[in-house]
Amino acid sequence: MAKTVANKHSDLKSSIIPWLLILPTFIVVLMFTAWPTVLSIYQSFFRLKLNVPRFRVPTFIGLQNYVELFKSPTFHQVLWNTIIYVAGVVPISVILAFLFALLVNRAIKGIGFIRLGFFYPTILPMVSAATVWMYFFTPNYGLFNLFLQWFGYHGPQNWTGNPHLALLAVMIVAIWKSAGYFMIFYLAGLQNLPTDVFEAADIDGVNYLQRLRYITFPLLRRTTLFVTTIAFIDGFQIIDHIFVLTQGGPSDASNVLLYYLWEMRFNYQDVGKSAALTVILVAFILIFTIGNFALSERKEDRRVA
Amino acid sequence: MSKRKLIVRLKHLYLHAYVWFWIFVAIFPVLWIISMSLDPRNISKPTTLTLIPPGASLAAYLRVLKHPYQGANVSFVRLLWNSLLVAGGTALLSVLFGATAAYAFSRFKFPGRKAGMLSFLVVFMLPASATLAPLFVILTFLHIRDSLWGLVFAYTSSSLPFAIWNLKGYFDTVPKELEEAALVDGCDRNSAFFRVILPLSVPAIAVTVLFGFMNGWTEWMLAWTFLTKPKSFTLAMTLYNMVGQWNTPWSNFAAFSILVSLPIIIIWFLLQKYIVSGLTLGGVKG
């Protein structure tokens, strides 16, 4: 009997079945992810502006689009804003997610509703979330300002209109929106942890913080890899709230890479430059995801060895 | 009361304060939306929060159900149908394509398996919105830019890497022996997959469905950029349409926000018991 099974398996080794199974995914990803990326690289070498009659025919200009971008002060500001935005939103929302998961990882009555409460910002479309926050940020009667005043805040109140606060305002909304989403992954991770390790730790008299630091967190390394990857990609790609709150303003103070790209393509109709921006954006995302994976896999190897 | 008891009490008190603080911060805006949606005044500049507004009513819900979209004649049913099509299509295709590909990566040994897996996870994990400029050109070329199908494919393409990652991790936990037993008992590979692997993987599939659906349901930027015909507008687009430059009719907006999030809340409660167990985040290795 066992032999038949083995034979079936060896037949499958050389078969084309796995390729057929992957084929639909391959086609979709090829057409709607790979092709757009390659097309951007190609278009980024051309001058093509749809709103300028003499630039309506694409002309090869080599790296000119990239050179012009890197010379423009607006692009510098946008890059800088993007780095601040991602460097702020990713770690804060991931840490909050972890804390939330610890909070709701208990079996008490009504925990389903509390979890839903934390997850609700994720369910709410970003446009809704941003609009609600737009109201919270309103000067004079906005609830966010009132809340801060309880804690002794007396700074400027026009969060979305102040060049020093606009970026912070859109970051706050992004953090509020995404922490509950990442919480789900940590909650799943926590519930899949082996309980015997914790029992052993209890017997050894390990306190709560030590347990988090030396047991829980290391065991959740895979979850953290996943969550940081998703958080980073989302940090670059979710900009709906910028449309609602600031439109990148005032004077590009809250403009980030993808919003700038959108403006370049659909307001200024500059296909060449928006293609170059797409290439830059994709490069940013790839460098991070590949780096994150490589780093994590290497750690894994070392641990196994 | 002994000193130790007091310390324990204080610790508990602190923990409670901490829990309630976060619950307040996270959930307060949600309470506010619910409160506004019941407010009969539909004011554009609310200054106070009364949790249950005077004369609370469902008037705002009725208003937005009757006339959801300003400046275009499109019914709520139409918007709902479009959103269901986009979200349901994305969820369905993600599960269908994701499960078959994940099965191949989990159960077959073939040349290029590891490289293929890695490239699906790492290289193609690009969100559709990052490549929206070239997508605009490609979907126009394929004559699906101004249709809901264009959105379905764009969303599916960006949710597949996650779906494969998670489903493969889950399939890996289903013992091979079960499948082999089914094969011995005369099942072919196909029915072993449908009768053994799939039923055992319901949690992972539930997660894929939920995230695919949420992605299609709440996405706004691509839809807003690509769609021009009012008859293919979605619910998320309607929300943006309601936001005024200076004045937003708050009760209408809040009511509509709640209506839009209701289906996902329902799915959440239906799938809740699977969601946490269905996220395995399997490794790239193995």
Side-chain angles (χ1 to χ4, degrees), chain A residues 5 12 19 25 29 33 36 40 96 103 112 120 128 131 135 141 176 188 191 226 233 237 262 266 290 297 301, chain B residues 19 22 26 32 45-46 97 111 122 124-125 127 129 134 157 162 165 184 189 225 239 250 253 257 261 272 276 285:
Chain A
V5 177
L12 286 168
W19 300 101
T25 299
V29 169
T33 303
S40 303
L96 280 181
L103 276 182
Y120 190 76
S128 290
T131 310
Y135 165 67
Y141 57 82
W176 180 78
Q191 304 222 323
F226 179 80
I233 293 174
Q237 70 128 346
W262 197 93
F266 297 103
I290 293 173
E297 290 299 308
D301 284 343
Chain B
V19 169
W22 281 117
W32 185 82
K45 282 193 165 61
F97 296 169
V122 183
F124 293 127
M125 208 136 176
S129 48
S157 183
F162 166 75
W165 192 356
V184 170
R189 198 87 192 178
T225 310
L239 278 169
W250 283 106
F253 184 83
S257 296
S261 46
Q272 199 190 11
V276 165
K285 299 194 150 187

Side-chain angles (χ1 to χ4, degrees), chain A:
Chain A
M1 269 304 191
K3 210 176 176 187
T4 356
V5 177
N7 278 343
K8 268 191 186 175
H9 268 283
S10 61
D11 285 346
L12 286 168
K13 265 185 194 165
S14 53
S15 79
I16 55 158
I17 294 174
W19 300 101
L20 286 178
L21 290 174
I22 298 167
L23 193 66
T25 299
F26 186 71
I27 292 172
V28 170
V29 169
L30 199 69
M31 280 184 65
F32 301 101
T33 303
W35 185 14
T37 310
V38 174
L39 182 68
S40 303
I41 298 174
Y42 175 78
Q43 280 183 327
S44 70
F45 298 125
F46 288 84
R47 179 190 289 126
L48 175 58
K49 294 181 186 173
L50 300 175
N51 58 352
V52 183
R54 65 200 161 96
F55 292 146
R56 255 183 219 149
V57 178
T59 334
F60 184 80
I61 52 166
L63 293 172
Q64 193 64 34
N65 280 323
Y66 293 95
V67 173
E68 278 173 28
L69 277 176
F70 278 101
K71 275 186 184 159
S72 116
T74 311
F75 180 67
H76 285 198
Q77 170 149 32
V78 166
L79 264 192
W80 191 231
N81 286 346
T82 310
I83 291 169
I84 296 174
Y85 181 92
V86 172
V89 169
V90 173
I92 297 175
S93 56
V94 171
I95 291 169
L96 280 181
F98 183 64
L99 293 179
F100 288 172
L102 289 177
L103 276 182
V104 301
N105 184 31
R106 53 198 79 202
I108 54 168
K109 224 176 154 192
I111 192 72
F113 281 97
I114 294 178
R115 284 179 191 166
L116 178 66
F118 281 114
F119 192 62
Y120 190 76
T122 302
I123 294 173
L124 204 61
M126 190 46 144
V127 174
S128 290
T131 310
V132 170
W133 276 89
M134 182 168 74
Y135 165 67
F136 289 155
F137 283 138
T138 323
N140 303 326
Y141 57 82
L143 296 170
F144 186 65
N145 286 311
L146 289 179
F147 180 75
L148 289 183
Q149 276 161 13
W150 287 355
F151 295 92
Y153 175 83
H154 291 292
Q157 296 212 333
N158 190 359
W159 285 80
T160 54
N162 183 322
H164 300 292
L165 296 178
L167 189 61
L168 188 59
V170 294
M171 287 167 71
I172 290 170
V173 177
I175 292 167
W176 180 78
K177 179 83 166 68
S178 54
Y181 178 50
F182 305 142
M183 173 197 81
I184 293 297
F185 299 106
Y186 273 122
L187 185 61
L190 284 173
Q191 304 222 323
N192 289 331
L193 289 182
T195 45
D196 50 346
V197 185
F198 291 103
E199 281 158 16
D202 270 346
I203 293 167
D204 290 345
V206 176
N207 74 30
Y208 185 72
L209 284 179
Q210 286 172 324
R211 211 171 79 174
L212 275 188
R213 166 74 184 79
Y214 295 106
I215 304 174
T216 314
F217 213 69
L219 283 175
L220 289 175
R221 212 182 44 80
R222 275 229 170 272
T223 313
T224 304
L225 164 71
F226 179 80
V227 169
T228 47
T229 307
I230 298 281
F232 193 83
I233 293 174
D234 278 0
F236 277 101
Q237 70 128 346
I238 294 178
I239 55 161
D240 299 6
H241 55 314
I242 297 180
F243 280 86
V244 174
L245 288 167
T246 63
Q247 291 90 44
S251 53
D252 293 311
S254 61
N255 201 345
V256 294
L257 211 44
L258 184 55
Y259 190 84
Y260 187 54
L261 189 166
W262 197 93
E263 283 188 320
M264 195 58 89
R265 178 62 184 80
F266 297 103
N267 286 350
Y268 310 131
Q269 307 273 324
D270 191 333
V271 176
K273 270 219 189 76
S274 67
L277 283 167
T278 306
V279 173
I280 294 168
L281 179 62
V282 167
F284 258 110
I285 295 179
L286 285 189
I287 288 170
F288 182 84
T289 42
I290 293 173
N292 201 4
F293 267 91
L295 217 70
S296 163
E297 290 299 308
R298 219 182 51 195
K299 265 192 206 149
E300 179 101 319
D301 284 343
R302 214 183 294 148
R303 210 179 52 173
V304 171

Side-chain angles (χ1 to χ4, degrees), chain B residues 227-280:
Chain B
L227 301 177
T228 53
K229 289 186 297 236
K231 74 175 167 72
S232 44
F233 285 176
T234 64
L235 291 170
M237 289 168 73
T238 313
L239 278 169
Y240 187 72
N241 169 270
M242 277 187 184
V243 182
Q245 182 80 46
W246 309 113
N247 285 318
T248 299
W250 283 106
S251 299
N252 289 2
F253 184 83
F256 205 75
S257 296
I258 291 177
L259 284 176
V260 171
S261 46
L262 265 183
I264 302 184
I265 295 179
I266 295 169
I267 297 181
W268 161 271
F269 273 112
L270 287 177
L271 302 182
Q272 199 190 11
K273 65 174 171 170
Y274 299 128
I275 287 165
V276 165
S277 59
L279 282 165
T280 55

